[in-house]
Amino acid sequence: MASLKNYNMKIMWETTMVFCLCSLSLVSSHSRKFTTPNVTRLTDQFSRIAIENGFSKRFGDHNIVINGSLAKLTLDKSSGAGLVTKNTYHYGFFSARLKLPAGFASGVVVAFYLSNAESYPKNHDEIDIELLGRSRRDDWSIQTNVYANGSLKTGREEKFYYWFDPTQAFHDYTLIWNSHHIVFLVDNIPVRQFPNRGAFMSAYPSKPMSLYVTVWDGSEWATHGGKYPVNYKYSPFVASIADVKLSGCSVNNGSSTGPGPCTKSGGSVSSLDPVDGQDFATLSKNQITAMDWARRKLMFYSYCNDKSRYKVMPAEC
């Protein structure tokens, strides 16, 4: 009887452990069911380009495969990979559909961002969407950031959970940058707006920038502050890019430091103008509602709430 009792207890313990492990595996930001807000699909109103026409290989040439409007960038032990636009832009609409590496990808960073660090190494501007790789405990997350005039000591990060699995299908990531505001959008839902007014103006990017799409090793900081580095046992890590849309004010050689003369480039199927058009000067009511939803439901970090980091908070906070 004792042996039967011990056996039954063992079965109960194993069953409990299996249930717990299964429950833990379901604790996921994108396993929660969200009813997403209805928004205008801005990405449908711009024309896609062939990647080889719009981009050059920036690094990791051997880890880049381009086929028309689709590209694959790979991170492995030898290198990451990156693309950069052939044109430099002063304001515009920048979008791509991305599919992130599946599986265990701690420390991996997939970045979609505007920067002029190569032209202005001491006082560069930057607008970032950085997608931070998952650990065994946590899913991929979305980090947004803004730098102006080399203000690297003042990070303006905001981080968000996903409401979907970004490794299973392509999803839209979009930056709108003009004289009115910067807007970060995921699947056409605004998650953050950085206005060009008041205290924000001193931190507002003002110089022409190029668009970069990269995958690289962010072991030192990307996942839990560097607690979980890249484990190359799970490589290669492949990020796929499709349906790139670039519409903005193109500046030759990035030589202009202000709005100045520029060439409107890119295509809009509805004649929308993301640089000077009033449709892009403010968010619509539906977009404001959607952004409020994203920030209430999904934002888990904002620099403006990090009092342990800043003894004196940035002025716009």
Side-chain angles (χ1 to χ4, degrees), residues 51 63-66 70-76 80-83 97-102 105 108-112 131 140 166-167 169-170 173 213-216 236-242:
I51 290 178
N63 278 346
I64 300 173
V65 177
I66 298 174
L70 176 69
K72 292 187 176 182
L73 307 183
T74 297
L75 168 66
D76 57 23
L83 299 170
R97 292 176 63 77
L98 304 178
K99 182 180 178 183
L100 305 187
V108 176
V109 178
V110 177
F112 180 82
L131 312 173
W140 284 83
T167 70
F170 285 90
Y173 299 84
V213 187
T214 61
V215 58
W216 48 283
F237 304 100
V238 180
S240 300
I241 302 106

Side-chain angles (χ1 to χ4, degrees), residues 145-205:
N145 205 352
V146 177
Y147 294 114
N149 298 313
S151 59
L152 296 179
K153 292 183 179 179
T154 305
R156 292 176 165 84
E157 300 93 342
E158 289 189 340
K159 298 181 182 181
F160 301 82
Y161 294 118
Y162 275 99
W163 56 98
F164 54 82
D165 186 342
T167 70
Q168 295 301 304
F170 285 90
H171 291 271
D172 294 296
Y173 299 84
T174 304
L175 294 169
I176 296 170
W177 171 47
N178 56 36
S179 63
H180 304 286
H181 56 185
I182 297 163
V183 186
F184 302 80
L185 305 96
V186 179
D187 276 354
N188 290 283
I189 294 176
V191 297
R192 181 180 184 182
Q193 179 181 212
F194 197 88
N196 188 17
R197 64 174 183 268
F200 290 90
M201 293 178 68
S202 64
Y204 201 82

